[in-house]
Amino acid sequence: AQQRDDARARVFAVANQKGGVGKTTTTVNLSACFAERSLKTLVIDLDPQANATTSVGLDPRGLDASIYQVLLRDIELDEIVEPTMIKGLHIAPSSLDLAGAEIELVSAFSRESKLREAISGAVADYDIIMIDCPPSLGLLTINGLTAADEVMVPIQAEYFALEGLTQLVRNIGMVQRSLNPGLELTKVILTMYDARTNLSRDVAREVRAHYGDKVCWQVVPRTVRLSEAPSFGQPITLYDSLSKGATAYRALAKEVLRGTP
């Protein structure tokens, strides 16, 4: 494992090129659980859909500036960071402007390192930084990977769970070689898990066979309450603190922090 300065934030990129795998749900709810454990946590919403932003109760349409202005207009990160309803949890919000960033970044100087430069002054101010990457392998995701120490990959416990991961791992390797030698794929998280089905158990076995101890033992169950929470602009720990989803994410946060279940 790589050595990390304890005086700086632990920076995770949450990435999977497949959509609908629980990536934003995991980013927001794990972050809320970290904050609940008195860790100062920043979510960076790199997805133009801005789902992480709305999931903590912010309306992207009402913001003066977002991560778009940080990446392409040289605004300082701390100028756009917003507090959330959870003590210790902050967000660098996204907006629809970010949809054009992939094209604009093509001609930008140090285009792959814009986010790393932007967060360089923030890593000493937080304990955890979680970067919610878009469901693609474009320049926004490359920026997330270049800025991170670790990659966290949510995988839906259904057929084709491993589809596309080969390419993601290849891209992680490319970023390691060219842009961020310290980057590691450290956590694979099984989401939408239904313990009643053979399918979920079979997928879990297959994923563990491929990724070994990188796969978290705590799985995230498929629950209605987890699906409902974002529409109320709340992490599951606020929306239904005693639900199975909240319990799972608290246990997952403990495992991620300690490296053991």
Side-chain angles (χ1 to χ4, degrees), residues 122-201:
V123 291
D125 297 332
Y126 296 91
D127 298 302
I128 302 278
I129 296 176
M130 297 280 281
I131 304 169
D132 189 29
C133 298
S136 69
L137 294 175
L139 276 170
L140 288 172
T141 297
I142 297 298
N143 264 268
L145 296 176
T146 302
D149 304 316
E150 306 177 55
V151 186
M152 184 181 291
V153 183
I155 295 181
Q156 190 174 358
E158 293 190 357
Y159 279 124
F160 308 120
L162 295 173
E163 185 183 82
L165 270 188
T166 302
Q167 183 62 46
L168 177 60
V169 170
R170 191 176 295 134
N171 274 42
I172 291 170
M174 179 193 73
V175 172
Q176 284 172 325
R177 289 188 299 273
S178 305
L179 300 162
N180 185 2
L183 184 66
E184 289 186 59
L185 169 56
T186 58
K187 300 295 176 189
V188 177
I189 298 167
L190 287 157
T191 62
M192 304 179 198
Y193 188 89
D194 188 343
R196 299 168 300 177
T197 67
N198 289 331
L199 175 59
S200 281
R201 292 193 293 270

Side-chain angles (χ1 to χ4, degrees), residues 80-251:
I80 69 150
V81 169
E82 299 276 353
T84 71
M85 62 198 80
I86 294 180
K87 182 181 178 181
L89 178 61
H90 299 76
I91 188 162
S94 177
S95 67
L96 292 178
D97 292 337
L98 201 58
E102 294 275 5
I103 298 171
E104 292 185 63
L105 280 168
V106 169
S107 59
F109 180 72
S110 299
R111 61 187 184 181
E112 299 94 348
S113 304
K114 287 287 190 182
L115 184 61
R116 180 167 64 188
E117 293 164 10
I119 72 170
S120 61
V123 291
D125 297 332
Y126 296 91
D127 298 302
I128 302 278
I129 296 176
M130 297 280 281
I131 304 169
D132 189 29
C133 298
S136 69
L137 294 175
L139 276 170
L140 288 172
T141 297
I142 297 298
N143 264 268
L145 296 176
T146 302
D149 304 316
E150 306 177 55
V151 186
M152 184 181 291
V153 183
I155 295 181
Q156 190 174 358
E158 293 190 357
Y159 279 124
F160 308 120
L162 295 173
E163 185 183 82
L165 270 188
T166 302
Q167 183 62 46
L168 177 60
V169 170
R170 191 176 295 134
N171 274 42
I172 291 170
M174 179 193 73
V175 172
Q176 284 172 325
R177 289 188 299 273
S178 305
L179 300 162
N180 185 2
L183 184 66
E184 289 186 59
L185 169 56
T186 58
K187 300 295 176 189
V188 177
I189 298 167
L190 287 157
T191 62
M192 304 179 198
Y193 188 89
D194 188 343
R196 299 168 300 177
T197 67
N198 289 331
L199 175 59
S200 281
R201 292 193 293 270
D202 290 346
V203 169
R205 275 196 298 270
E206 184 181 5
V207 172
R208 293 189 196 283
H210 277 79
Y211 291 97
D213 60 5
K214 294 182 187 297
V215 185
C216 293
W217 284 105
Q218 177 63 51
V219 299
V220 178
R222 181 187 291 278
T223 74
V224 172
R225 303 298 274 173
L226 266 178
S227 301
E228 289 175 345
S231 64
F232 289 86
Q234 296 178 359
I236 189 64
T237 51
L238 275 187
Y239 180 64
D240 190 343
S241 185
L242 300 179
S243 65
K244 289 181 179 178
T247 301
Y249 274 113
R250 287 190 180 106

